[in-house]
Every structure is written in structure tokens, then in C-alpha cells.
Amino acid sequence: MTTVVEPVDRTAIAVRAQALGKRYRSKWALRECTFDLPAGKVAALVGANGAGKTTLMTVLAGLLDADEGSAGATGRVAFVSQEKPVYRNFSAGDMLRLGARLNVVWDDSRARRWLARFEIPLDKACGRLSGGQQAQVAFALAIGSRPDVLMLDEPLANLDPLARREVTAELLSEVGETGMTVLLSTHVVAELAGVADYLLLLAHGRLLAGGDLDELLGRHVSYTGPRSDVPPALGDIVEARHTDNQSTFVVKLPEGQPRPVVAGPWTERLLTLEDYVLAQLEATRKGARA
Amino acid sequence: MEFRIDRSSGLPAYLQLVRQVREALRLGWLAPGDRLPTVRDVVATSGVNANTVLKAYRELELSGLVEARQGSGTFIKARLGSTDPEVMAALRTRLAEWVREAREAGLDIEDIDALVRSVLSEGEGVAVA
């Protein structure tokens, strides 16, 4: 049997934030945050600790009111917070029955399939399940509600490497089948290649970069060569590192122009997502110091 | 075939998939008429985004290597680089000769590799496939 996965309508916007700001007392946790997340994307929300990732997600999920600007999501939203909340005295089976009652739309077979996939016992109280298993119950509940937009705050934290890979693959299968939009925050940037196709990068409560991942990375190059004050190609310098006899630059190439050719002693390297994120975060730290 | 994503590579994931199909063709693991795994299978086995797989298959289709048949999947259409075997053999002989010369001049494998790369990168930016 063959399944043809239909490309989703790429023009639709799933999540929109406009000049979004959230303040805790006098301190702004989020400021001037503007982006449009197209439907059907798997977006990674990345940033240092305290960058405002959880605040942004909580506001987008409608659980917290913004102090300025506006936020909106198209269709039904499911949000799984970092704590992966479950009722301790309820079994996984009870949680599913609860999900069926509390949600307007409920797909019981989908939720059960998720639990079966990760071998979660249905009759045991959630309080007696491991942290990883409790997370799976919370995921199953979110998946069962058939959301148009699924927001996950640090979904992979507390999972072992194998479970991380399996959860990612299952999640992407669900995305492929339902066309839902996913927004997930994570620290594990190195595991996102091929998983996320959209990036939202936060630093100090502000959006540093946002957009299609391949496009963002494709516009950046890393050059290494002899000690020099300028990189071998024109563009904005994102990061510059120097030793006595060697220089390394991360350069953002000008838009709409062919990739420059560098020759001689310079070598160029494509940027990984991790390289890109680290260079960007490093740049803001230096900027804050100056 | 099963795809593998090298997450430490700067090459975009969809281009890694494209490259793996081309490699399989070059090595004869895939031949015209063979069906590529469904998008769903690739997502489940390799943990990549369906959009990434679709993008890779679209790229392969644009380059004329595969064709999507409505409702039945994506199939290999053409062979890759049907260079004349005699021409290949001649090129190989000359390359072997060149490598011998380079070794006699004291170059080791890394030197040779660097030299080849620098010649290849002349005048063509970054080669992606």
C-alpha cells in the first residue's frame, strides 16, 4: 500500500506574533517579537536559558496574557509544558478518558497507538511511572486531541538518546499524516538537522532570527584562512575569531547574489545549525558587553 | 534503500537525501524502474521531516532522475552519468599516472586531497551534489 503525503497549503499562517511583549513586574521577558509561522512547518524555538522561550510559548498557547502586541494561532492548539503534567493518581487509561471528555475533537486510536508504541502500561497510576513514561502520557494526550498547532516545551529533555530519536520520528510521522504545525523549544540543537525546517532564535527576550532553516543556513558561510582583518568575501560578519596566524569568519552573504568564489589560502565550510546558533548567540553576548 | 542524515554536516538534510540517491544510482544499488521509499517510510525510519523528503524528491524530479507516478510512488527514471566506459578507463589511467608523479614529488594523501579540492573548487563556488 502506498500513501501519498499531500503537501500542505504553504500560504496559510499557523502562528502569528506581532510586536509581542510580556513583562514580569518591571522586567521584560519578551519584547518586540514578530513572526509568521507558515502552516505545516516543524519549527524549532532555540535560545539560551532565560531567553524567553517558555514565556513565548505560554503566551502563544493562550495561557498567559501579553502586555503588548498580539499573538494568534489558527485552529486548535495543544500545548505540553516542560513539566509534562499528568494526574498522579490517574492511570494512563484514565488520562485518555479524561482527554476524550475534555477535548472537542478526540482521536482515541491515535492516542492509544502512541502509548502502545512506547510500551506504556494503561493501568498503572501515572505517579508510579518514570519521568520519561509520564512524558509519553502527556504527548499521547496532546496527539489524541488532533491539534492544528502542537506546541512542545523542551519535549526531548529527560529522555534517553534512543527515546529522543523515537519520539522525534513518531512526531514527524504524525506531522506527515495530519499536516499539523509543530513548534518545539529545545536545547539539543545538534539533533534538529532534517527535523526542523523553520527556526526561531531568541536571545534576551528578542527574536534574533527567524525563517526557513535551509534558507537561513544557505546564506551563511564560514571561512578559515591566514590572519586577516576582513573575510575573503563581501557580507555581514556574524562572527570573527583570530589566533596569531589564523582567522575564522562567519559571514552572512548579501541576498539575491550568487555565492562568491574564494580562492587562495582560504577554505570555506557550510554552516551546521549548531554553528549558526552558537555564532548568533555569541554575537549578542559580545554586543551586550560592548 | 535507507537514508541516513549526518547531523554534523553543514549540507542541508534534503541535499543529503538527494546525494544518497545519486550515489545509489552511481553504485548500481538503484536502477531505472526502482521505487524510492515512500515519504512516510523515510520519515519513520530516518527521523526526518516530511517536508525535507518532499523537497529532496522534488529536486530529484526536477533534475530528471525520478518521476512521481500519481498514487503509486516515486520511481527512478534515468541512469546517472552514462560516461563511456572507455573514456572512464582512460581518465583513470591518466589519474593513476598523475598520482604516482605526485607521490614521487613527496606529496602524501592529504596534500593530494587538498590539491584536488582546490582545483575542483576553482570557478564553481560550492559543489552540492
Side-chain angles (χ1 to χ4, degrees):
Chain A
M1 198 192 89
T2 313
T3 312
V4 178
V5 178
E6 294 288 336
V8 290
D9 179 4
R10 275 160 213 292
T11 54
I13 300 299
V15 181
R16 166 169 285 171
Q18 270 172 325
L20 203 60
K22 174 68 195 170
R23 185 173 59 193
Y24 296 114
R25 296 177 186 273
S26 65
K27 192 181 180 315
W28 288 95
L30 197 66
R31 202 82 204 263
E32 287 164 18
C33 191
T34 299
F35 66 87
D36 281 338
L37 175 60
K41 293 282 179 192
V42 177
L45 178 57
V46 173
N49 287 323
K53 299 192 293 288
T54 298
T55 301
L56 175 59
M57 281 201 149
T58 317
V59 172
L60 289 176
L63 298 176
L64 202 62
D65 286 333
D67 289 309
E68 54 178 36
S70 64
T74 312
R76 288 170 299 106
V77 177
F79 173 60
V80 180
S81 77
Q82 209 164 347
E83 295 77 30
K84 322 277 180 336
V86 287
Y87 287 106
R88 301 190 61 80
N89 295 323
F90 279 25
S91 67
D94 294 335
M95 289 297 292
L96 294 192
R97 280 186 284 281
L98 187 71
R101 289 291 185 87
L102 293 181
N103 286 286
V104 186
V105 177
W106 180 254
D107 186 336
D108 206 50
S109 61
R110 217 168 259 277
R112 283 180 192 277
R113 199 176 67 192
W114 187 282
L115 291 178
R117 169 77 177 75
F118 293 98
E119 298 173 349
I120 309 298
L122 289 172
D123 50 354
K124 214 165 153 183
C126 287
R128 292 176 55 214
L129 297 174
S130 72
Q133 289 177 317
Q134 289 182 15
Q136 301 296 6
V137 176
F139 292 149
L141 225 60
I143 293 289
S145 70
R146 287 296 298 267
D148 297 298
V149 180
L150 176 60
M151 298 189 194
L152 305 167
D153 196 2
E154 292 287 348
L156 304 178
N158 308 326
L159 295 180
D160 62 63
L162 185 61
R164 278 216 290 273
R165 203 171 68 188
E166 287 173 350
V167 166
T168 308
E170 277 305 300
L171 204 59
L172 290 174
S173 294
E174 294 287 340
V175 171
E177 279 172 38
T178 60
M180 69 178 165
T181 308
V182 174
L183 176 62
L184 60 92
S185 73
T186 181
H187 281 303
V188 200
V189 178
E191 289 178 18
L192 288 175
V195 173
D197 49 18
Y198 204 88
L199 180 74
L200 293 170
L201 180 58
L202 275 182
H204 310 295
R206 285 168 198 267
L207 197 63
L208 217 55
D212 182 273
L213 202 57
D214 287 340
E215 271 174 39
L216 275 179
L217 294 182
R219 284 214 303 274
H220 291 76
V221 198
S222 169
Y223 296 111
T224 301
R227 169 85 212 208
S228 164
D229 292 330
V230 288
L234 284 179
D236 299 332
I237 301 173
V238 179
E239 189 185 39
R241 287 199 316 270
H242 305 283
T243 63
D244 287 344
N245 46 23
Q246 196 181 57
S247 291
T248 301
F249 295 96
V250 172
V251 176
K252 182 182 177 191
L253 301 170
E255 237 167 296
Q257 287 179 31
R259 261 182 119 80
V261 178
V262 298
W266 292 90
T267 58
E268 65 173 76
R269 203 167 52 81
L270 298 169
L271 239 53
T272 65
L273 177 59
E274 196 171 16
D275 294 334
Y276 174 75
V277 167
L278 291 177
Q280 291 282 352
L281 293 181
E282 186 72 16
T284 61
R285 208 167 63 182
K286 280 178 184 144
R289 263 193 224 137
Chain B
M1 72 177 289
E2 195 172 305
F3 293 104
R4 256 195 70 256
I5 298 296
D6 177 1
R7 305 203 194 273
S8 61
S9 158
L11 196 66
Y14 83 97
L15 284 180
Q16 291 190 33
L17 300 185
V18 167
R19 189 181 270 192
Q20 282 167 41
V21 170
R22 296 171 65 97
E23 248 166 36
L25 271 168
R26 217 173 266 132
L27 296 170
W29 298 346
L30 282 176
D34 286 350
R35 203 186 80 177
L36 289 179
T38 61
V39 173
R40 176 192 236 177
D41 284 346
V42 181
V43 171
T45 55
S46 310
V48 290
N49 191 316
N51 295 334
T52 302
V53 187
L54 285 168
K55 202 168 168 183
Y57 282 13
R58 213 160 36 232
E59 183 87 14
L60 286 164
E61 207 180 339
L62 281 176
S63 64
L65 282 181
V66 307
E67 63 179 342
R69 291 183 205 154
Q70 198 66 44
S72 56
T74 304
F75 293 82
I76 300 291
K77 201 168 86 178
R79 268 179 215 289
L80 197 67
S82 49
T83 311
D84 189 330
E86 269 181 45
V87 175
M88 281 294 278
L91 283 170
R92 193 177 195 291
T93 310
R94 275 158 63 197
L95 184 61
E97 174 71 14
W98 182 87
V99 168
R100 196 175 52 77
E101 244 177 78
R103 280 192 184 281
E104 278 168 11
L107 271 64
D108 64 13
I109 289 183
E110 271 181 35
D111 296 329
I112 292 173
D113 199 45
L115 201 56
V116 170
R117 268 172 210 280
S118 78
V119 171
L120 284 179
S121 66
E122 254 169 44
E124 58 161 307
V126 177
V128 289

